[in-house]
Amino acid sequence: MIFAAGETVRVKNAWPEASGPVHIRTPHYVRGVVGEVVRRLGEFPNPEELAFGRPAERLPLYHVRFRKDAIWPEPKPDDELLIEIFGHWLERP
């Protein structure tokens, strides 16, 4: 799935580490959280497969912006957090 800048996305609330060894690049604290795509950074080999020496398909990588108060209670609700997230972790809300 391809996302455009400005599009609202949700990070999948998936926990693959519960079923065995994995290498995950998506922070647990944003799983299930809604954010906004800032830009597409290009396509890169999936590091979750590369970590185990497996063939890795190229996946789109995005900068996704989150309001910090959507993740943690903060006194400044307009603070933001910018994270690089591979497209297979994103879905439309």
Side-chain angles (χ1 to χ4, degrees), residues 53-89:
R54 297 187 290 241
E57 71 175 301
R58 295 177 68 81
L59 300 172
L61 180 65
Y62 298 92
H63 269 156
V64 181
R65 176 178 31 233
F66 300 92
R67 289 178 49 121
K68 280 180 67 179
D69 65 344
I71 303 167
W72 303 292
E74 292 284 333
K76 298 178 184 176
D78 56 341
D79 283 351
E80 298 176 337
L81 181 64
L82 185 68
I83 301 177
E84 293 177 355
I85 301 179
F86 278 90
H88 69 291
W89 274 94

